[in-house]
């Protein structure tokens, strides 16, 4: 039975000038290349990202749950695929450049270290001890500009300016005074809507996925979630009545699917409302708007924040996941210290960069690129050498 109204896509489209065009300055590359006979610049970037080694490694990196739990929970790669498919839907519905949005979604987590956010915190803490910081957006830019090695004539993937700007700016702004090295990325202006959307689509994807995996892992309780998360209960209660004879997990799935759809609908409608309200008709207008125009409505933002706080309290900071977080912190801190103390233990391609960038940064780059398992293997090898 079909119970959903068809979306009237045309009525949701933004003025055509709001989209990033498939030609012009944002399709420029650091090393000029001839146009492809049948693929557009952002389509080529999407292919380069998917073929990158750092992209393949996302399969072995934790999103929230390590493989200790289950092989069918999200990895950082499958999370990335979920973000990409939602981003494409939102961008296409609004009439934006869906190839650019999809490329940005596919690359948005490429700079994440092993072991999820616990790994990122541990690496940042280790670098702070040396007066440096770890930032996954800046690291992602280093990956696509320097570390990926596929072409004879240059380092990196030679991605378009539009994709590189989105890598840096999709989730936060950087001050031009603190980051003069990023001056080609229009730091004093908003990013295009295709980039602004990615952060919010990422929120939709991980919020819903983490409820799903959290229940499967039996860390989240259905009754507590119904009582503590209005955004979930709003869809769960009617599904419970409608599918009263169905298995609990199937009713849960029906509710979660509707919750995801409602967040996507709200993001599309509110972004369109804000573009209309500011009168933006061109990319320049989007860039010079007083604030980012991609957003959830205030009511939905409240509900989303409540759901997120709930996940922090009951899942991300739960005692069940604490063991993985402690292990991640211990492994990363130990490897970082061992390699900074004796950089000769690093592979030669990395030791060659120490004179220019210093051992702490080079060691952090090396660790950030690893999968969970590869990091463990190094840790086990280092501890067995010591004993
Ligand atoms: Mg993400």
């Amino acid at each position: 039975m079909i119970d959903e109204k068809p979306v009237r896509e045309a009525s949701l489209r933004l003025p055509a000038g709001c989209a990033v065009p498939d030609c012009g300055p944002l399709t420029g590359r650091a090393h000029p290349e001839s146009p492809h006979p049948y693929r557009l610049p952002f389509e080529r970037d999407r292919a380069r990202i998917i073929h990158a080694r750092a992209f393949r490694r996302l399969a072995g990196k934790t999103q929230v749950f390590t493989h200790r739990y289950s092989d069918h929970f999200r990895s950082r790669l499958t999370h990335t695929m979920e973000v990409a498919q939602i981003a494409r839907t939102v961008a296409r519905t609004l009439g934006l450049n869906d190839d650019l949005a999809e490329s940005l979604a596919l690359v948005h987590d490429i700079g994440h270290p092993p072991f999820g956010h616990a790994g990122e915190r541990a690496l940042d803490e280790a670098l702070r001890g040396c007066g440096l910081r770890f930032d996954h957006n800046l690291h992602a830019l280093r990956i696509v500009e320097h570390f990926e090695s596929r072409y004879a004539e240059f380092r990196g993937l030679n991605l378009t300016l539009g994709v590189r700007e989105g890598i840096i700016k999709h989730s936060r702004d950087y001050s031009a005074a603190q980051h003069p090295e990023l001056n080609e990325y229009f730091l004093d202006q908003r990013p295009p809507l295709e980039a602004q959307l990615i952060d919010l689509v990422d929120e939709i994807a991980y919020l819903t996925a983490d409820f799903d995996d959290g229940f499967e892992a039996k860390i989240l309780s259905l009754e507590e979630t119904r009582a503590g998360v209005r955004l979930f209960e709003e869809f769960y209660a009617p599904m419970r009545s409608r599918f009263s004879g169905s298995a609990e997990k199937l009713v849960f799935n029906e509710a979660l699917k509707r919750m995801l759809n409602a967040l996507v609908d709200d993001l599309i409608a509110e972004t369109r409302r804000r573009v209309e309200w500011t009168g933006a008709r061109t990319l320049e207008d989007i860039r010079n708007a007083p604030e980012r125009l991609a957003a959830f409505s205030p009511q939905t933002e409240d509900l989303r924040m409540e759901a997120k706080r709930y996940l922090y309290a009951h899942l991300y900071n739960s005692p069940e996941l604490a063991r993985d977080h402690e292990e991640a912190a211990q492994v990363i801190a130990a490897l970082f210290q061992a390699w900074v103390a004796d950089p000769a233990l690093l592979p030669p391609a990395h030791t060659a960069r120490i004179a220019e960038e210093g051992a702490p940064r080079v060691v952090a780059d090396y660790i950030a690129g690893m999968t969970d398992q590869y990091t463990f293997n190094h840790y086990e090898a280092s501890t067995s050498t010591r004993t």
Side-chain angles (χ1 to χ4, degrees):
M1 188 175 75
I2 298 170
D3 66 353
E4 282 138 325
K5 283 186 233 144
V7 173
R8 293 173 61 205
E9 197 174 310
S11 70
L12 296 168
R13 280 178 175 264
L14 301 177
C18 292
V20 171
D22 282 314
C23 56
L26 288 179
T27 61
R29 303 180 190 274
H31 305 277
E33 296 180 27
S34 311
H36 191 277
Y38 49 85
R39 289 189 303 149
L40 295 168
F42 299 128
E43 290 181 277
R44 296 174 82 181
D45 281 7
R46 178 177 60 204
R48 289 174 194 203
I49 292 160
I50 290 176
H51 286 91
R53 197 159 68 166
F55 184 80
R56 292 194 292 279
R57 288 197 195 124
L58 295 174
K61 293 190 180 201
T62 288
Q63 174 69 12
V64 172
F65 293 93
T66 63
H67 283 287
R68 179 166 74 78
Y69 272 87
S70 166
D71 281 345
H72 65 241
F73 288 172
R74 273 84 175 171
S75 67
R76 212 162 265 284
L77 179 64
T78 62
H79 158 71
T80 293
M81 303 304 292
E82 293 181 2
V83 176
Q85 73 90 14
I86 300 171
R88 195 173 53 227
T89 301
V90 174
R92 191 184 297 160
T93 305
L94 288 171
L96 297 172
N97 192 318
D98 53 350
D99 290 325
L100 173 58
E102 188 178 3
S103 299
L104 291 176
L106 290 169
V107 80
H108 89 281
D109 269 353
I110 211 166
H112 271 283
F115 309 125
H117 286 283
E120 186 174 13
R121 271 196 306 274
L123 204 50
D124 187 47
E125 210 163 287
L127 279 175
R128 276 181 201 235
C130 308
L132 300 168
R133 298 298 305 267
F134 183 80
D135 175 311
H136 66 258
N137 291 341
L138 297 176
H139 186 69
L141 191 64
R142 287 159 71 75
I143 290 172
V144 302
E145 289 200 308
H146 300 293
F147 302 154
E148 284 294 322
S149 177
R150 296 185 63 83
Y151 299 95
E153 289 178 304
F154 46 76
R155 290 163 76 187
L157 300 176
N158 200 28
L159 299 179
T160 57
L161 176 61
V163 168
R164 284 178 286 126
E165 180 194 359
I167 287 174
I168 283 296
K169 287 163 61 181
H170 70 273
S171 60
R172 54 165 288 202
D173 297 317
Y174 290 81
S175 104
Q178 280 175 11
H179 291 278
E181 79 282 9
L182 302 177
N183 70 358
E184 70 178 301
Y185 300 120
F186 317 97
L187 295 187
D188 53 345
Q189 297 180 17
R190 314 277 160 227
L193 282 172
E194 287 84 349
Q196 295 185 28
L197 287 169
I198 298 304
D199 194 41
L200 305 174
V201 167
D202 186 25
E203 296 275 347
I204 294 174
Y206 81 69
L207 194 73
T208 49
D210 294 347
F211 275 109
D212 193 16
D213 289 347
F215 276 105
E216 289 274 345
K218 300 193 173 24
I219 296 176
L220 295 178
S221 119
L222 181 61
E223 291 316 314
E224 274 182 29
T225 303
R226 291 186 64 181
V229 183
R230 284 173 291 162
L231 186 60
F232 177 74
E233 176 61 6
E234 182 186 328
F235 298 101
Y236 187 83
M239 291 305 108
R240 180 75 279 174
S241 323
R242 179 169 163 186
F243 298 110
S244 55
S246 299
E248 190 172 81
K249 185 60 179 38
L250 296 180
V251 178
F252 173 88
N253 291 349
E254 293 288 345
L256 199 65
K257 178 179 78 171
R258 283 164 176 79
M259 180 172 129
L260 190 156
N261 286 343
L263 288 166
V264 170
D265 287 350
D266 184 84
L267 173 61
I268 290 170
E270 179 66 9
T271 301
R272 185 171 187 278
R273 193 190 68 76
R274 289 162 67 101
V275 168
E276 272 181 2
W277 184 70
T278 54
R281 303 199 63 79
T282 65
L283 183 55
E284 278 314 292
D285 296 338
I286 305 286
R287 284 197 177 285
N288 293 311
E291 55 185 349
R292 291 184 178 221
L293 297 180
F296 295 108
S297 66
Q299 308 88 292
T300 297
E301 180 63 12
D302 279 353
L303 294 171
R304 183 185 74 80
M305 287 308 296
E306 178 187 78
K308 191 167 170 168
R309 283 193 297 272
Y310 183 88
L311 284 176
Y312 269 94
H314 295 83
L315 180 65
Y316 306 142
N317 295 328
S318 66
E320 289 88 343
L321 294 187
R323 177 181 142 191
D324 292 317
H325 297 165
E326 285 158 20
E327 198 167 51
Q330 184 186 336
V331 166
I332 286 188
L335 287 176
F336 182 86
Q337 280 165 19
W339 282 327
V340 169
D342 188 2
L345 297 170
L346 295 174
H350 292 266
T351 43
R353 294 178 34 236
I354 289 177
E356 195 186 334
E357 309 207 50
R361 177 61 68 196
V362 172
V363 169
D365 285 342
Y366 184 43
I367 293 175
M370 293 179 175
T371 60
D372 292 7
Q373 190 56 53
Y374 191 72
T375 319
F376 269 130
N377 293 349
H378 269 292
Y379 180 70
E380 277 163 19
S382 71
T383 49
S384 65
T385 325
R386 265 185 258 141
T387 50

